[in-house]
Amino acid sequence: MPVVKIERLSKSYSGTMVLHPLDLEIHDRELFFLVGPSGCGKSTLLRLIAGLLKPDSGRISFDTKEVSSLPPEKRGAAMVFQNYALWPHMSVCENVAFGLQNFGFKGDKLLSTTNEALESVGMLTYSDRMPAALSGGQQQRVALARALAVKPSLLLFDEPLSNLDARLREHMRSEIWRICKENSLTAIYVTHDRKEALSMADRIAILDKGRLRQIGTPEELYKNPLDQFTASFMGDCNFFEGEILPGSSASFHDIRTALGIFRVPVAEAPPGKRLKLAARPEDVKIMDLFNDSSVEGLIKRSVFVGDITLNEIEAGGISISAAELGYRIRKGGGKCAVSLSPDKLMILRDQEN
Ligand code: ADP
């Protein structure tokens, strides 16, 4: 049973549709990511779920109970914002306790619940500090403790790590993941950062211009994107075309591409039809010796970018990017053999809406 069920939810501002009617189900204990470029409607969707915005149409249910017309405080969801939203004049423990007091906590129960929440994010020893005396990462932990303290049925994250530097962001990713999993939380997490989504999410929904493009696990979206938008949003990608060759059977077709001929399972495609294809740079192999499945390539440029070497290769009349692990600079102008394993060839949807 889904913990959150969204049905035909839509939102417009001044007559401009920013969220087209969409359906979405989020499962129990799932860390669900909403990702997409800036302005695609992620925060709008999250705010509709939180009850901070009113939809134009549609329904939102938490655990089968419709919450569409309930105010935020009656929905049982807690939100963690990008800017932490801590009270500057209150200490760390007062910031956490304040929210609990609004829920009727007092005395020993207030203290123990506050301490428990601070302990779970590793901030108990900072109880008496003021927010200004904390780093960005520590402030975000306090904001998280405040959200956790009320034992929300649903945790909503709106770009919570955007204000942190790159190293701290990476550390906080695993911290937030650990806290969500240890507390068996159901959470919806908005980000425009694909690495954040790939490294933390159980499932991801890709949004583009207010529409859902694809939902899946990080692996599904990375390895089997439906269209060019999702393929390139999830990581670096080579895009090229293929042509269906005559003489195929009902269940597979041979297609000719710049990287060779591939046998693929495509239904009902006439010979001559062109397909949109894609391949990740790390799946394009460069070899010194040719074999049956390789084509000739010309190294145009080879650049070491830290953990991998990126090679720009001309093969079959197109430019292809091939990644190799580590420092593997190849001489520009040199010939090489290039190959792509058939199971790494991604077939994309013809039409994008
Ligand atoms: P994201 O979180 O993906 O960056 P948003 O949900 O914030 O996107 O915004 C989606 C679209 O709605 C954007 O085009 C944005 O400019 C517009 N928008 C957001 N809030 C308002 C508002 N209060 N009034 C008018 N337009 C808005």
Side-chain angles (χ1 to χ4, degrees):
M1 191 175 65
V3 165
V4 180
K5 188 166 187 186
I6 290 164
E7 296 162 276
R8 309 305 293 157
L9 195 71
S10 73
K11 177 73 185 167
S12 54
Y13 290 113
S14 323
T16 305
M17 202 76 142
V18 298
L19 212 56
H20 296 268
L22 61 83
D23 298 310
L24 197 57
E25 289 189 353
I26 290 131
H27 307 147
D28 190 24
R29 300 171 188 206
E30 188 168 44
L31 191 41
F32 190 92
F33 272 62
L34 296 173
V35 305
S38 183
C40 70
K42 308 179 290 290
S43 298
T44 300
L45 178 53
L46 197 73
R47 286 179 153 74
L48 288 168
I49 296 168
L52 299 170
L53 285 175
K54 268 180 95 74
D56 293 354
S57 67
R59 283 162 58 97
I60 303 170
S61 312
F62 291 179
D63 281 328
T64 69
K65 180 180 167 207
E66 188 177 353
V67 297
S68 312
S69 53
L70 293 181
E73 63 278 10
K74 293 261 166 65
R75 296 192 180 197
M79 196 144 169
V80 180
F81 297 94
Q82 174 179 345
N83 60 4
Y84 324 131
L86 298 179
W87 298 104
H89 59 287
M90 289 184 189
S91 68
V92 163
C93 72
E94 285 167 344
N95 259 286
V96 177
F98 183 73
L100 286 167
Q101 282 166 321
N102 290 339
F103 279 84
F105 284 75
K106 45 187 180 238
D108 285 350
K109 184 76 182 147
L110 177 63
L111 187 65
S112 64
T113 311
T114 302
N115 287 348
E116 201 183 298
L118 285 171
E119 174 85 62
S120 74
V121 299
M123 287 298 289
L124 189 55
T125 50
Y126 295 84
S127 277
D128 298 326
R129 285 258 187 113
M130 300 304 281
L134 298 175
S135 70
Q138 289 169 331
Q139 290 186 50
Q140 193 54 289
R141 279 168 200 264
V142 178
L144 190 51
R146 192 177 52 185
L148 289 174
V150 299
K151 302 262 185 305
S153 60
L154 178 68
L155 203 51
L156 305 173
F157 292 98
D158 192 0
E159 304 251 10
L161 306 182
S162 302
N163 286 342
L164 305 180
D165 66 52
R167 269 189 63 188
L168 192 52
R169 208 157 53 218
E170 269 182 37
H171 176 65
M172 284 300 287
R173 278 180 200 162
S174 50
E175 275 293 282
I176 291 182
W177 184 88
R178 178 188 65 76
I179 290 163
C180 286
K181 294 302 169 192
E182 276 180 11
N183 292 280
S184 301
L185 295 168
T186 306
I188 306 177
Y189 192 118
V190 159
T191 183
H192 63 274
D193 183 334
R194 69 167 181 240
K195 284 193 176 159
E196 211 158 289
L198 282 169
S199 62
M200 294 173 71
D202 292 317
R203 282 193 308 149
I204 300 170
I206 306 262
L207 276 171
D208 175 34
K209 300 190 202 84
R211 292 181 202 274
L212 269 180
R213 284 266 176 190
Q214 192 173 349
I215 300 175
T217 64
E219 188 185 11
E220 282 163 357
L221 296 190
Y222 190 80
K223 292 186 176 169
N224 298 107
L226 288 178
D227 57 29
Q228 187 163 343
F229 182 87
T230 301
S232 55
F233 195 82
M234 296 315 289
D236 291 342
C237 213
N238 291 296
F239 295 104
F240 48 103
E241 286 200 333
E243 185 186 339
I244 305 260
L245 296 175
S248 306
S249 88
S251 53
F252 67 82
H253 292 284
D254 287 331
I255 49 176
R256 186 189 295 119
T257 80
L259 294 180
I261 292 176
F262 294 86
R263 178 155 290 190
V264 295
V266 185
E268 297 202 24
K273 180 178 159 70
R274 301 192 75 78
L275 298 178
K276 278 190 175 180
L277 306 169
R280 299 285 177 202
E282 67 271 24
D283 293 331
V284 180
K285 301 295 172 213
I286 307 172
M287 299 164 305
D288 297 321
L289 295 175
F290 287 88
N291 63 29
D292 287 350
S293 61
S294 61
V295 295
E296 186 177 295
L298 183 70
I299 307 278
K300 302 292 285 183
R301 198 162 171 244
S302 191
V303 193
F304 179 57
V305 291
D307 44 359
I308 55 169
T309 302
L310 278 176
N311 298 283
E312 191 192 322
I313 302 169
E314 211 170 88
I318 63 167
S319 181
I320 287 282
S321 172
E324 291 183 291
L325 261 187
Y327 187 87
R328 293 286 304 273
I329 291 291
R330 289 171 182 271
K331 209 162 166 258
K335 285 197 174 151
C336 63
V338 183
S339 89
L340 175 70
S341 160
D343 60 318
K344 305 289 187 194
L345 181 73
M346 304 189 285
I347 302 167
L348 305 179
R349 203 158 45 189
D350 220 7
Q351 286 287 317
E352 289 188 12
N353 49 28

